């Protein structure tokens, strides 16, 4: 039976194109089109935006994005086996879907997109964090995208939205929250995917702020947080010893107790320290 978008159900698509999931490509597919439409809605109003989707696979989320009114979708897929299935979606939505067979880690997709741009993806787990860090660390801010709506393993999603004092709090939380609003908008059990992964997943929605929440130099902030969290159990005066010879004085000038540990310090404190060290 055809679905609401007139295309065959995803199980049929997978059978017809012999798309058995490959673990090394992080292939855990979403086959419920109600769920993919819900993820697309979590990305906000798509009607005036180009959407960059990484890893469309058989196209469940792609169909959700198109059904929810995305102006245009650019989908980057590494697995050439998926291209015929995606071509069927492109034919059903003339001029609205472009598919590029490439590795999203190396392709610069910006030339293929017209602002405003939103990024929405059920990411391959093995490259998800690397892609996120790339999107969060452009040469200039604001970035080329307005929002990111991304599926991660739940544990990674919790690290992105973590607050000081929690175990999950660390570099990823600081990097994300320095220049974005970040929240978990959906939690999915393993059975939502085919094949089912071992862990729960979560969708995180990040909106780019027009400017950083607190002023700081990105490279210094990155160096300081790397050193602080590489030895998160140590007091900052020893964890940051290698950063500056007078680190105790610098910490105090930034309003931070030298005996405090990295996980107690809020974003504002790390930004103040980065300014002291500039
Ligand atoms: N979006 C589909 C869905 O929700 O059912 C598939 C999601 S699956 C978790 C991840 C997809 O990313 C797979 O189709 C896989 O082939 C693709 N992929 C893996 N590594 C990639 C890379 N480096 N660049 C682009 N696509 C990649």
């Amino acid at each position: 039976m055809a679905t609401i978008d007139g295309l065959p159900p995803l199980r049929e698509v997978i059978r017809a194109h012999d798309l058995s999931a490959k673990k090394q490509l992080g292939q855990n597919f979403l086959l419920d089109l109600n769920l993919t439409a819900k993820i697309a809605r979590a990305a906000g109003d798509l009607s005036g935006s180009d959407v960059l989707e990484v890893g469309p696979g058989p196209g469940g989320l792609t169909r959700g994005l198109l059904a929810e009114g995305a102006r245009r979708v650019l989908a980057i897929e590494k697995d050439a086996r998926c291209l015929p299935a995606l071509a069927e979606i492109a034919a059903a939505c003339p001029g609205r879907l472009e598919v590029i067979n490439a590795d999203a880690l190396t392709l610069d997709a910006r030339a293929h997109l017209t602002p405003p741009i939103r990024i929405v993806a059920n990411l391959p787990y093995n490259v998800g964090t690397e892609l996120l860090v790339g999107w969060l660390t452009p040469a200039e801010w604001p970035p080329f995208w307005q929002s990111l709506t991304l599926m991660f393993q739940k544990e990674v999603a919790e690290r992105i939205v973590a607050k000081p004092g929690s175990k999950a709090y660390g570099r990823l939380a600081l990097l994300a929250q320095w220049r974005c609003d970040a929240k978990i908008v959906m939690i999915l059990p393993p059975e939502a995917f085919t094949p089912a992964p071992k862990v729960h997943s979560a969708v995180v929605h990040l909106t780019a702020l027009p400017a950083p929440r607190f002023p700081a130099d990105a490279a210094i902030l990155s160096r300081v947080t790397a050193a602080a969290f590489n030895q998160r159990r140590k007091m900052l005066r020893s964890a940051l010893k290698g950063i500056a010879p007078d680190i105790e004085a610098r910490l105090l000038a930034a309003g931070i107790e030298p005996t405090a540990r990295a996980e107690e310090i809020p974003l504002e404190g790390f930004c103040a320290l980065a300014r002291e060290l500039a």
Side-chain angles (χ1 to χ4, degrees), residues 30 35-36 38-43 61 119-123 125 148-158 160-161 182-188 193 200-206:
L30 290 168
L35 189 56
T36 59
K38 202 170 153 193
I39 297 169
R41 281 196 293 277
L61 182 54
I119 302 180
V120 186
N122 174 15
L123 290 175
Y125 286 150
L148 309 172
T149 308
L150 306 172
M151 181 89 69
F152 292 97
Q153 298 182 39
K154 184 163 163 269
E155 175 264 328
V156 176
E158 284 166 351
I160 296 167
V161 304
K183 58 181 178 188
I184 291 180
V185 290
M186 216 184 284
I187 294 181
L188 288 92
F193 302 84
H200 276 65
S201 300
V203 178
V204 184
H205 183 69
L206 298 109

Side-chain angles (χ1 to χ4, degrees), residues 203-225:
V203 178
V204 184
H205 183 69
L206 298 109
T207 316
L209 298 172
R213 225 174 272 281
F214 307 105
D217 175 83
I220 299 174
L221 186 61
S222 168
R223 203 152 53 87
V224 169
T225 54

Side-chain angles (χ1 to χ4, degrees), residues 25-30 53 55-57 76-79 102-104 122-124:
L25 283 170
Q27 292 184 336
N28 300 98
F29 300 133
L30 290 168
E53 185 194 1
I76 315 291
E77 175 55 63
K78 193 173 174 181
D79 185 355
D103 184 337
N122 174 15
L123 290 175

Side-chain angles (χ1 to χ4, degrees), residues 54 76 78 102-108 126-132 134:
V54 173
I76 315 291
K78 193 173 174 181
D103 184 337
L105 287 172
T106 51
L107 180 87
D108 185 355
N126 44 354
V127 295
T129 312
E130 188 175 344
L131 284 167
L132 173 67

Side-chain angles (χ1 to χ4, degrees), residues 62-220:
T62 319
R63 285 163 64 168
L65 294 165
L66 291 164
E68 291 304 314
R71 178 176 69 193
R72 226 181 117 251
V73 176
L74 173 70
I76 315 291
E77 175 55 63
K78 193 173 174 181
D79 185 355
R81 295 180 311 153
C82 300
L83 301 182
L86 296 167
E88 287 172 7
I89 305 173
C93 304
R96 291 178 63 209
L97 172 62
E98 181 186 351
V99 181
I100 301 183
N101 182 203
D103 184 337
L105 287 172
T106 51
L107 180 87
D108 185 355
R110 279 173 299 180
H112 303 267
L113 293 159
T114 308
I117 297 160
R118 294 180 186 270
I119 302 180
V120 186
N122 174 15
L123 290 175
Y125 286 150
N126 44 354
V127 295
T129 312
E130 188 175 344
L131 284 167
L132 173 67
V133 170
W135 289 323
L136 291 175
T137 51
E140 282 175 18
W141 199 269
F144 72 93
W145 48 268
Q146 280 194 331
S147 67
L148 309 172
T149 308
L150 306 172
M151 181 89 69
F152 292 97
Q153 298 182 39
K154 184 163 163 269
E155 175 264 328
V156 176
E158 284 166 351
R159 287 202 277 129
I160 296 167
V161 304
K163 296 293 173 215
S166 68
K167 251 181 152 169
Y169 183 62
R171 290 186 74 191
L172 201 53
L174 289 162
L175 182 59
Q177 295 170 37
W178 181 39
R179 297 189 286 198
C180 296
D181 280 329
K183 58 181 178 188
I184 291 180
V185 290
M186 216 184 284
I187 294 181
L188 288 92
E191 314 80 77
F193 302 84
T194 304
K198 288 199 173 68
V199 294
H200 276 65
S201 300
V203 178
V204 184
H205 183 69
L206 298 109
T207 316
L209 298 172
R213 225 174 272 281
F214 307 105
D217 175 83
I220 299 174

